[in-house]
Amino acid sequence: MTYFQCDYVEGCHPAILQKLCESNLEQTPGYGADHYCESARQKIRAACGREDLDVHFLVGGTQANTTVLAALLRPHQGALCAESGHIACHETGAIEATGHKVLPLPSRDGTITAAQVDDYCRAHFTSDVSEHMVQPGACYISHPTENGTLYTKTQLEELAAVCRRWGLPLYLDGARLGYGLASPESELDLPDLARLCDVFYIGGTKCGALFGEAVVISDPALKKDFRYFIKQRGGLLAKGRLLGIQFDVLFEGGLYRSICKRAVEQAMAIRKAFLAAGVPLYFDSPTNQQFFVLTPAQGEALGQDFAFESWGELDDGRTAVRFCTSWATRDEDVQALVGAIAAL
Amino acid sequence: MTYFQCDYVEGCHPAILQKLCESNLEQTPGYGADHYCESARQKIRAACGREDLDVHFLVGGTQANTTVLAALLRPHQGALCAESGHIACHETGAIEATGHKVLPLPSRDGTITAAQVDDYCRAHFTSDVSEHMVQPGACYISHPTENGTLYTKTQLEELAAVCRRWGLPLYLDGARLGYGLASPESELDLPDLARLCDVFYIGGTKCGALFGEAVVISDPALKKDFRYFIKQRGGLLAKGRLLGIQFDVLFEGGLYRSICKRAVEQAMAIRKAFLAAGVPLYFDSPTNQQFFVLTPAQGEALGQDFAFESWGELDDGRTAVRFCTSWATRDEDVQALVGAIAAL
Amino acid sequence: MTYFQCDYVEGCHPAILQKLCESNLEQTPGYGADHYCESARQKIRAACGREDLDVHFLVGGTQANTTVLAALLRPHQGALCAESGHIACHETGAIEATGHKVLPLPSRDGTITAAQVDDYCRAHFTSDVSEHMVQPGACYISHPTENGTLYTKTQLEELAAVCRRWGLPLYLDGARLGYGLASPESELDLPDLARLCDVFYIGGTKCGALFGEAVVISDPALKKDFRYFIKQRGGLLAKGRLLGIQFDVLFEGGLYRSICKRAVEQAMAIRKAFLAAGVPLYFDSPTNQQFFVLTPAQGEALGQDFAFESWGELDDGRTAVRFCTSWATRDEDVQALVGAIAAL
Amino acid sequence: MTYFQCDYVEGCHPAILQKLCESNLEQTPGYGADHYCESARQKIRAACGREDLDVHFLVGGTQANTTVLAALLRPHQGALCAESGHIACHETGAIEATGHKVLPLPSRDGTITAAQVDDYCRAHFTSDVSEHMVQPGACYISHPTENGTLYTKTQLEELAAVCRRWGLPLYLDGARLGYGLASPESELDLPDLARLCDVFYIGGTKCGALFGEAVVISDPALKKDFRYFIKQRGGLLAKGRLLGIQFDVLFEGGLYRSICKRAVEQAMAIRKAFLAAGVPLYFDSPTNQQFFVLTPAQGEALGQDFAFESWGELDDGRTAVRFCTSWATRDEDVQALVGAIAAL
């Protein structure tokens, strides 16, 4: 059985393991005050083209989302997001557990539009009974989205402009950011995100690290006291250097981007094979997650040798499925899958 | 500069790193459903002498405390603990952030007594205005305590009996449990903890792991739905095997205990040197943390070559300090410190 | 200008005021321990036909909802409700502020069905990744709904059966319960609610009282410690007798029902007038709230002399509106409105 | 039995009841938008000598405290207060239920000092590990305190100056403010409070109203969106005029002060009698609450005819007790008590 089920079935890029081994008995201060964290922070700032960014390393995505939104929102506020957004669906109400409502907006492909945010805010702030409803207090997007799709530069610029007009910080969840940056269709690079978002995170867990996400903050109000929030949410790792080392390696010599680029190329090969076999797309994704609609027979045939994820049954009996590549996917496995698809 | 400041300045025991390297490209399911986690769970159950225990792996201590107490307490309840307890002092109000008051009890050495809990509960539950006050809903202890001290078997049995009488689950924070189990003065082993506590955790971060704590649950009510709590608090690691691998190695062949035993022996050598030099103890600890009272001159002399932690200034101008050993402490560093103490 | 905008524009039924005046200088114990509260509790138990019910008096509806749901739910659980439910829309995220997600179900008329709850629970509890999602932990309904509609006895029995099957307490928000009980179409009386719901509240604020809601609990688990919850949520009124006196008067000699019956009759007169004038219903309500679709001209004409509430603009330029009667509505005002409708 | 147990055993001042009766069938908008609330707000602003104050009416003290502190604090912050402060002791963890730790300071008489706040803040903000501890984010005081004592003008000025230096909003809980303002020893009037505090509340429940507290805000940051907080905490009364009417009456012609003044005079008569009988004070209070130390025989003798509150047993077998007067206390009851004291 070969796994294309998700992008976190292996450990980490070997260069990270090597650095962990080399540094293992070195003594460093705890809680992120070590030189590896500092070096990683500097490299991330450089990659974003700005010296004024705060960079914090957290363990996982739900932790990052909870910590950032708890810091951004006042108690009567909620976060606008796509109805398919990770915080709305798959974090066991972690945001609500900090007291805040998630305010879902309809979305077909996982993105939301400037017009949606504008309409929602206008309706709220011009209502006679605003105070009876949760006030939109931040905007959450994911890029790539949970459906593998990407924002264009125009889309993100318009969204950022609307958010600023209404006073909403814009937060971008980059759990799979590497696969977005490395996509041939990407129009957005790290300096764009630093310019357009108030805060975003660079995903490590799904992009080559053992675990870890780098939260990048440009909003001065959010910078203040952010370490308190990390500690309160259980995210201040005693051996913080573990996170610093990983991002230091990933941001050395373009490793983060190059390993993700290869995964996207593999995903494109899989996509091409499915399209050639007449299998329709479920979402049109230019990143490492690929979504297709399979008949029961097709699903059964491919399920013999390959693990993939069901994304829900359609009304006509077919099934939407997801195939993921990652930094660790082997070319021979992709070739085997491509062969199996051609044989459908 | 040699660090005796705390017990998390190095990485992890080399056997763990080796297993991480060996398993790195193996594909496993996520979120703790892999065979490493299962193997580690079995070993921990065996070490506790019981098959009916639930074992979950979390990333860190604050996360473990928050997750367990959020699962144990109803909204009107709080957790009794020593005023020096970690949840009362050094977790940025993480427990309060889940809505629960920490109910501190006076303590000189870091332990609390059955009588204190009994008195508190009796006063609360016999009051005419109980509902105006936070109801004690759980009892939190640390073992070893933050001051390095240990509960005797009698003390823990009495405490457990009182907790059961009042319906309070007993939760033991074992951030440094290995150093407690390995202490020559320890009267309590894992089967005792499984029998007397409703839930406890076996600390990894400070006892040989890169990071990670193993939460062991015997209370059936708490077992139910515990994974929801882990996920909601951001603790359900995508690559859960990282935690499984570490505890699987630590609980293979008694490694956890043996590496902690050596650290305690080193701590005893340091203690002996200080006592021989006429330096008084601040707390009387039989574990890897040692606390002394230094004059300014002594502190300055030792501070030339050794890093240690200030534990607060005394009224007479002297300072309480902490020296820690760990699984990674080198004998030559201990010898150097012992020599410096003798030269005071 | 005559107000038909809502059902809380006047004070309270004169009999309540009279009792408040008579008892004003009497000395009684605080926090609901007085004889007026006890008498009101007994009368409510009698009206429900059961001696084993706990009855608590709270100040308002949002407070009642928050207090009950905080007591019912564990931290990883949320409350199923109609998307138009008051807790989902108009309580400023009060439920989320206690840490719980509201889980909205689609609804045209404000009710939800047993099948909807069954489907939602089956999908959740049979999922492979249940713990990544909020667990349904209670079911919230309003009766009459926010749209004035009522559950039939069959509907409520089926809903209650499904809730029990999945272990979900059923909570009924009776902010306007009096107008439901007094409706000619009502199939449900207080004993039915006590039998089918685990907890419900009898609305006072909108049904003749100055303020106050009577929470009626049949679920033994919820009874325990409920006063702690009231106090923690700021609902334990020092002069608790104010609430007791009001419900004691309302439940004396059927006053609660008789004053609401008259309001429903007035609402039916208004409804009849609109239908006679060819104005369509927006919701088909048999209670004191009546919803119609007005053209701009109709809205303007009626708006000259009567205040009513806009319920949203339709795509075709018409407006949905609400007219409310209450225990205090005067027959001459209804006649004037009926005349104005006839003149449209 | 005559009650001196607390100051909320009767209803309200008759002038309030009269106004409630007169206005009962008047139709007004809900949620505090009526002319009675507006009139009351104007009178309170006038009494404070400032036009720029926001005034909101809430139902009770715990609700006011929770709402104000939830609005003032960010998630990593807590409120400094005396260890005897109401929020620390008798609100069932209502503050913690909003996620915030209460940070108690030692206090003998119920007040805290500028030096205490200064020391606490200096220790926190100069610590190397600040982010591991709850940040002081507001300062809560009560005036009169729970022990009946008052801040002098100098004390409050110094406290306010320290709070401003450390960026802490100062919040004064005035549950019994009327009895403080009316005390012969009072040095602080409403304009002082508006000048020195960022927010305070004028207690109604214990000072002549049926229920209700008037929150007065001078801090511009806190003014913003405060109604959302009231609604979210269940405090936005549908018939908000009930609160407006009560404060409108209390602030007409100095009624609030005059009825409290009489109660303080009665309290002084009781105090004088106890001192004449050689009974020692437990706290030295110049307001309506009086605290004494009784022998068992004295307690039994007075308990025949008078209800008073036990304030805890002393080590020597004597008991601390509280006698309260209120706006409703009758002179003949005071005379009877004075006679009984003289006969001890």
Side-chain angles (χ1 to χ4, degrees):
Chain A
M1 183 67 63
T2 309
Y3 283 92
F4 288 96
Q5 204 161 2
C6 65
D7 32 21
Y8 41 85
V9 291
E10 293 93 358
C12 67
H13 191 277
I16 288 176
L17 263 190
Q18 188 183 332
K19 189 59 142 305
L20 285 174
C21 291
E22 288 169 11
S23 64
N24 189 48
L25 292 178
E26 184 183 348
Q27 294 189 316
T28 61
Y31 301 115
D34 61 280
H35 68 94
Y36 293 108
C37 284
E38 190 46 37
S39 170
R41 283 192 281 263
Q42 281 302 348
K43 288 177 183 170
I44 288 172
R45 287 191 194 104
C48 293
R50 274 172 59 174
E51 287 303 304
D52 67 332
L53 301 171
D54 276 9
V55 181
H56 298 276
F57 302 109
L58 275 76
V59 167
T62 297
Q63 193 179 80
N65 291 338
T66 311
T67 306
V68 167
L69 288 172
L72 281 178
L73 297 170
R74 292 188 73 208
H76 62 305
Q77 297 178 325
L80 289 169
C81 76
E83 61 189 351
S84 53
H86 206 257
I87 58 168
C89 301
H90 287 109
E91 300 190 351
T92 321
I95 304 305
E96 286 83 1
T98 67
H100 302 288
K101 194 181 186 80
V102 173
L103 305 169
L105 297 171
S107 172
R108 160 66 191 144
D109 71 352
T111 64
I112 53 174
T113 67
Q116 283 181 297
V117 172
D118 197 38
D119 289 350
Y120 194 100
C121 289
R122 180 167 299 108
H124 178 85
F125 287 107
T126 62
S127 165
D128 288 342
V129 289
S130 297
E131 69 260 30
H132 292 244
M133 296 178 292
V134 174
Q135 185 182 91
C139 184
Y140 164 100
I141 59 173
S142 38
H143 178 86
T145 68
E146 292 73 10
N147 301 330
T149 53
L150 292 174
Y151 285 84
T152 65
K153 187 177 283 196
T154 302
Q155 283 174 327
L156 193 65
E157 284 174 343
E158 288 175 355
L159 191 59
V162 160
C163 285
R164 272 167 209 185
R165 197 148 66 235
W166 288 106
L168 265 59
L170 177 60
Y171 168 46
L172 183 147
D173 175 336
R176 294 187 171 93
L177 186 56
Y179 303 115
L181 299 175
S183 167
E185 295 197 16
S186 171
E187 301 180 6
L188 291 161
D189 209 337
L190 287 171
D192 301 305
L193 302 188
R195 173 173 58 89
L196 296 170
C197 301
D198 295 277
V199 49
F200 66 99
Y201 84 78
I202 302 171
T205 301
K206 292 166 179 162
C207 302
L210 285 174
F211 62 93
E213 327 293 330
V215 173
V216 182
I217 309 177
S218 59
D219 176 2
L222 184 59
K223 288 179 184 172
K224 184 164 154 44
D225 293 343
F226 194 75
R227 278 172 63 85
Y228 286 85
F229 287 87
I230 302 176
K231 177 64 188 168
Q232 189 182 63
R233 299 282 152 206
L236 202 58
L237 212 57
K239 299 178 184 171
R241 74 192 203 187
L242 300 176
L243 294 161
I245 287 168
Q246 296 185 78
F247 278 94
D248 197 46
V249 170
L250 288 173
F251 277 80
E252 176 67 40
L255 183 64
Y256 185 68
R257 192 171 306 233
S258 64
I259 61 177
C260 290
K261 184 158 181 286
R262 188 163 156 280
V264 174
E265 288 163 357
Q266 292 170 325
M268 291 301 125
I270 296 169
R271 170 194 177 99
K272 199 172 149 194
F274 271 117
L275 291 178
V279 173
L281 296 175
Y282 188 60
F283 297 118
D284 186 3
S285 156
T287 60
N288 76 312
Q289 300 182 90
Q290 293 294 319
F291 300 85
F292 307 98
V293 180
L294 298 185
T295 64
Q298 290 169 332
E300 203 174 326
L302 290 174
Q304 301 290 328
D305 295 319
F306 302 96
F308 48 91
E309 181 113 346
S310 168
W311 217 248
E313 301 222 356
L314 307 190
D315 288 342
D316 61 8
R318 292 183 301 164
T319 305
V321 299
R322 181 182 74 168
F323 286 78
C324 276
T325 59
S326 83
W327 59 274
T329 302
R330 299 186 308 168
D331 283 340
E332 54 264 44
D333 291 337
V334 173
Q335 288 318 313
L337 175 59
V338 163
I341 295 167
L344 281 177
Chain B
M1 184 67 62
T2 309
Y3 282 91
F4 288 96
Q5 204 161 3
C6 64
D7 32 21
Y8 41 85
V9 289
E10 292 92 359
C12 66
H13 190 276
I16 288 175
L17 262 190
Q18 187 182 333
K19 189 59 144 305
L20 285 174
C21 292
E22 288 169 11
S23 65
N24 190 48
L25 293 178
E26 184 183 348
Q27 294 189 318
T28 62
Y31 301 115
D34 62 280
H35 68 94
Y36 292 109
C37 284
E38 189 47 35
S39 170
R41 281 192 281 263
Q42 282 302 349
K43 288 178 183 168
I44 287 173
R45 286 190 195 105
C48 293
R50 274 172 61 174
E51 287 303 303
D52 67 332
L53 301 171
D54 276 9
V55 181
H56 299 276
F57 302 109
L58 276 76
V59 168
T62 297
Q63 192 180 79
N65 291 338
T66 310
T67 306
V68 167
L69 289 172
L72 282 178
L73 297 170
R74 292 188 73 209
H76 62 305
Q77 297 178 325
L80 288 169
C81 76
E83 62 191 351
S84 53
H86 207 258
I87 58 169
C89 301
H90 287 108
E91 300 189 352
T92 322
I95 304 305
E96 286 84 1
T98 68
H100 302 288
K101 192 181 186 80
V102 173
L103 305 169
L105 297 171
S107 173
R108 161 65 190 143
D109 71 352
T111 63
I112 54 174
T113 68
Q116 282 181 296
V117 171
D118 198 37
D119 289 350
Y120 194 99
C121 289
R122 179 167 300 107
H124 179 85
F125 287 108
T126 62
S127 165
D128 288 342
V129 290
S130 297
E131 69 259 31
H132 293 243
M133 297 179 291
V134 174
Q135 186 182 90
C139 183
Y140 164 99
I141 58 173
S142 39
H143 178 86
T145 68
E146 292 74 11
N147 302 330
T149 54
L150 293 174
Y151 285 84
T152 66
K153 187 176 284 195
T154 302
Q155 283 174 326
L156 193 64
E157 284 174 343
E158 288 175 354
L159 190 58
V162 160
C163 285
R164 271 167 208 184
R165 198 149 63 236
W166 289 108
L168 265 59
L170 176 61
Y171 168 45
L172 183 147
D173 175 336
R176 293 187 172 93
L177 186 56
Y179 303 114
L181 298 175
S183 167
E185 296 197 15
S186 171
E187 301 179 6
L188 291 161
D189 210 336
L190 288 170
D192 300 305
L193 302 188
R195 173 173 58 91
L196 296 170
C197 302
D198 296 276
V199 50
F200 67 98
Y201 84 78
I202 302 170
T205 302
K206 292 168 179 161
C207 303
L210 284 174
F211 62 93
E213 327 293 329
V215 173
V216 181
I217 309 178
S218 58
D219 175 3
L222 184 59
K223 288 179 184 173
K224 184 165 154 41
D225 293 344
F226 194 75
R227 280 172 62 86
Y228 285 85
F229 287 86
I230 302 175
K231 177 62 188 168
Q232 189 181 62
R233 299 283 151 205
L236 202 58
L237 212 56
K239 299 177 184 171
R241 74 190 202 188
L242 299 177
L243 294 162
I245 287 168
Q246 295 186 77
F247 278 94
D248 197 46
V249 171
L250 287 173
F251 276 80
E252 176 69 39
L255 183 65
Y256 186 67
R257 192 170 306 233
S258 64
I259 60 178
C260 290
K261 185 159 180 284
R262 189 165 156 278
V264 174
E265 289 164 357
Q266 293 171 324
M268 291 303 123
I270 295 169
R271 171 195 176 97
K272 200 174 148 192
F274 271 116
L275 291 177
V279 173
L281 297 175
Y282 188 60
F283 299 116
D284 185 2
S285 156
T287 61
N288 76 311
Q289 299 183 90
Q290 294 294 320
F291 299 85
F292 308 99
V293 180
L294 299 184
T295 64
Q298 291 170 331
E300 203 174 327
L302 290 174
Q304 301 290 327
D305 296 319
F306 303 96
F308 48 92
E309 181 113 346
S310 168
W311 217 249
E313 300 222 357
L314 307 191
D315 288 342
D316 61 7
R318 293 183 302 164
T319 305
V321 299
R322 182 182 74 168
F323 285 78
C324 276
T325 60
S326 82
W327 60 274
T329 302
R330 299 186 308 169
D331 283 340
E332 55 263 44
D333 292 337
V334 173
Q335 289 317 315
L337 175 59
V338 164
I341 296 166
L344 282 178
Chain C
M1 183 68 62
T2 308
Y3 284 93
F4 287 96
Q5 204 161 1
C6 64
D7 32 21
Y8 41 85
V9 291
E10 291 93 358
C12 66
H13 191 277
I16 287 176
L17 262 190
Q18 187 183 334
K19 188 59 142 305
L20 285 174
C21 292
E22 288 169 11
S23 65
N24 189 47
L25 293 178
E26 185 183 348
Q27 294 188 317
T28 62
Y31 302 115
D34 61 281
H35 68 94
Y36 293 108
C37 284
E38 190 47 37
S39 170
R41 282 191 281 263
Q42 282 302 350
K43 288 178 183 169
I44 288 174
R45 287 189 195 106
C48 293
R50 274 173 59 175
E51 286 303 304
D52 67 332
L53 302 171
D54 276 9
V55 181
H56 299 275
F57 302 109
L58 275 76
V59 168
T62 297
Q63 193 180 80
N65 290 338
T66 311
T67 305
V68 166
L69 288 172
L72 282 178
L73 297 170
R74 293 188 72 208
H76 61 306
Q77 297 179 324
L80 289 168
C81 75
E83 61 191 350
S84 52
H86 206 256
I87 58 169
C89 301
H90 287 108
E91 300 189 353
T92 322
I95 305 304
E96 286 83 1
T98 68
H100 302 288
K101 193 181 186 80
V102 173
L103 304 168
L105 297 171
S107 173
R108 160 65 191 144
D109 70 351
T111 63
I112 53 175
T113 68
Q116 283 181 296
V117 171
D118 197 37
D119 289 350
Y120 194 100
C121 289
R122 180 166 300 107
H124 179 86
F125 287 107
T126 62
S127 165
D128 288 342
V129 289
S130 298
E131 69 260 31
H132 293 243
M133 297 177 292
V134 174
Q135 185 181 92
C139 183
Y140 164 99
I141 58 173
S142 38
H143 178 85
T145 68
E146 292 74 9
N147 302 330
T149 54
L150 292 174
Y151 285 85
T152 66
K153 187 176 284 195
T154 302
Q155 283 174 326
L156 193 64
E157 283 174 343
E158 289 175 353
L159 191 59
V162 160
C163 286
R164 272 167 208 184
R165 197 148 65 237
W166 289 107
L168 266 59
L170 177 60
Y171 168 45
L172 183 147
D173 175 336
R176 292 187 173 93
L177 186 56
Y179 303 115
L181 298 175
S183 166
E185 296 196 15
S186 170
E187 301 179 6
L188 291 161
D189 209 335
L190 288 170
D192 300 304
L193 303 187
R195 174 173 58 91
L196 296 170
C197 301
D198 296 277
V199 50
F200 66 99
Y201 83 77
I202 302 171
T205 302
K206 292 167 180 163
C207 302
L210 285 174
F211 61 93
E213 328 293 329
V215 173
V216 181
I217 308 179
S218 58
D219 176 1
L222 184 59
K223 288 179 185 173
K224 185 166 153 39
D225 293 344
F226 195 75
R227 279 172 63 84
Y228 285 85
F229 287 86
I230 302 176
K231 177 63 188 167
Q232 188 181 63
R233 299 283 151 205
L236 202 58
L237 212 57
K239 298 178 184 171
R241 75 189 200 190
L242 298 177
L243 294 161
I245 287 169
Q246 295 185 78
F247 278 94
D248 197 46
V249 171
L250 287 173
F251 276 79
E252 177 67 39
L255 183 65
Y256 185 67
R257 193 169 305 235
S258 65
I259 61 178
C260 289
K261 185 160 180 284
R262 189 164 155 279
V264 175
E265 289 163 358
Q266 293 170 324
M268 291 301 124
I270 295 169
R271 171 195 176 97
K272 200 173 148 193
F274 272 116
L275 291 178
V279 172
L281 296 175
Y282 187 61
F283 299 116
D284 185 2
S285 155
T287 60
N288 76 311
Q289 300 182 90
Q290 294 295 319
F291 300 85
F292 308 98
V293 181
L294 299 186
T295 64
Q298 290 169 333
E300 203 174 328
L302 290 175
Q304 301 290 327
D305 294 319
F306 303 97
F308 47 92
E309 181 113 347
S310 169
W311 216 249
E313 298 222 357
L314 307 191
D315 288 341
D316 61 7
R318 292 181 302 164
T319 305
V321 299
R322 181 182 74 168
F323 285 78
C324 277
T325 60
S326 82
W327 60 274
T329 303
R330 299 186 307 169
D331 283 339
E332 55 262 45
D333 292 335
V334 173
Q335 288 319 314
L337 174 59
V338 164
I341 296 166
L344 282 177
Chain D
M1 183 68 63
T2 309
Y3 284 92
F4 287 96
Q5 204 160 3
C6 65
D7 33 21
Y8 42 84
V9 290
E10 291 93 358
C12 67
H13 190 276
I16 288 177
L17 262 190
Q18 187 183 333
K19 188 60 142 305
L20 285 173
C21 292
E22 287 168 12
S23 65
N24 189 49
L25 292 178
E26 184 184 347
Q27 294 189 317
T28 62
Y31 302 115
D34 62 279
H35 68 93
Y36 293 108
C37 284
E38 190 46 37
S39 170
R41 282 191 281 263
Q42 281 302 350
K43 288 178 183 169
I44 288 173
R45 287 191 194 104
C48 294
R50 274 172 59 175
E51 286 304 304
D52 67 333
L53 301 171
D54 276 8
V55 181
H56 299 276
F57 302 109
L58 275 76
V59 168
T62 297
Q63 193 180 80
N65 291 337
T66 310
T67 306
V68 166
L69 288 172
L72 281 178
L73 296 170
R74 292 188 73 207
H76 62 305
Q77 297 178 325
L80 289 169
C81 76
E83 61 190 351
S84 53
H86 207 257
I87 58 168
C89 301
H90 287 109
E91 300 189 353
T92 321
I95 304 305
E96 286 83 2
T98 67
H100 301 288
K101 194 180 185 80
V102 173
L103 305 168
L105 298 171
S107 172
R108 161 65 191 143
D109 70 351
T111 63
I112 53 175
T113 67
Q116 284 180 296
V117 172
D118 197 37
D119 289 349
Y120 194 100
C121 289
R122 180 167 299 107
H124 178 85
F125 287 107
T126 62
S127 165
D128 287 342
V129 290
S130 297
E131 69 259 31
H132 292 244
M133 296 178 291
V134 174
Q135 185 181 91
C139 183
Y140 164 98
I141 58 173
S142 38
H143 178 86
T145 68
E146 292 74 9
N147 302 330
T149 54
L150 291 175
Y151 285 84
T152 66
K153 188 176 284 195
T154 302
Q155 283 174 325
L156 193 64
E157 283 174 343
E158 288 175 354
L159 190 59
V162 160
C163 286
R164 271 166 210 186
R165 196 148 66 236
W166 288 108
L168 266 58
L170 177 61
Y171 168 45
L172 183 147
D173 175 336
R176 294 187 172 92
L177 186 56
Y179 303 114
L181 299 176
S183 166
E185 296 197 15
S186 170
E187 300 179 7
L188 291 160
D189 210 336
L190 287 171
D192 301 303
L193 302 187
R195 173 173 58 91
L196 296 170
C197 302
D198 295 278
V199 49
F200 66 99
Y201 84 77
I202 301 171
T205 301
K206 293 167 180 161
C207 303
L210 285 173
F211 62 92
E213 328 292 330
V215 173
V216 181
I217 308 177
S218 59
D219 176 2
L222 184 59
K223 288 179 184 172
K224 184 164 154 41
D225 293 344
F226 194 75
R227 278 173 64 84
Y228 285 85
F229 287 86
I230 302 175
K231 177 63 188 167
Q232 188 182 63
R233 300 282 152 205
L236 201 57
L237 213 56
K239 298 178 184 171
R241 75 190 200 187
L242 298 176
L243 294 160
I245 287 168
Q246 295 185 78
F247 278 94
D248 197 46
V249 170
L250 288 172
F251 276 79
E252 176 68 39
L255 183 64
Y256 186 67
R257 192 171 305 234
S258 64
I259 60 178
C260 290
K261 183 157 181 286
R262 189 164 154 279
V264 174
E265 289 164 357
Q266 292 169 324
M268 291 302 124
I270 295 169
R271 171 194 177 99
K272 198 173 149 194
F274 271 116
L275 291 178
V279 172
L281 297 176
Y282 188 61
F283 298 117
D284 185 3
S285 155
T287 61
N288 76 312
Q289 300 182 89
Q290 293 294 320
F291 300 86
F292 307 98
V293 180
L294 298 186
T295 64
Q298 290 170 333
E300 202 174 327
L302 290 175
Q304 301 289 328
D305 296 318
F306 303 96
F308 47 92
E309 182 113 346
S310 167
W311 217 248
E313 298 222 357
L314 306 191
D315 288 341
D316 61 7
R318 293 182 301 165
T319 305
V321 299
R322 181 182 73 169
F323 286 78
C324 277
T325 60
S326 82
W327 60 274
T329 302
R330 299 185 308 169
D331 283 340
E332 54 263 46
D333 292 336
V334 173
Q335 287 319 314
L337 174 59
V338 164
I341 296 166
L344 282 177

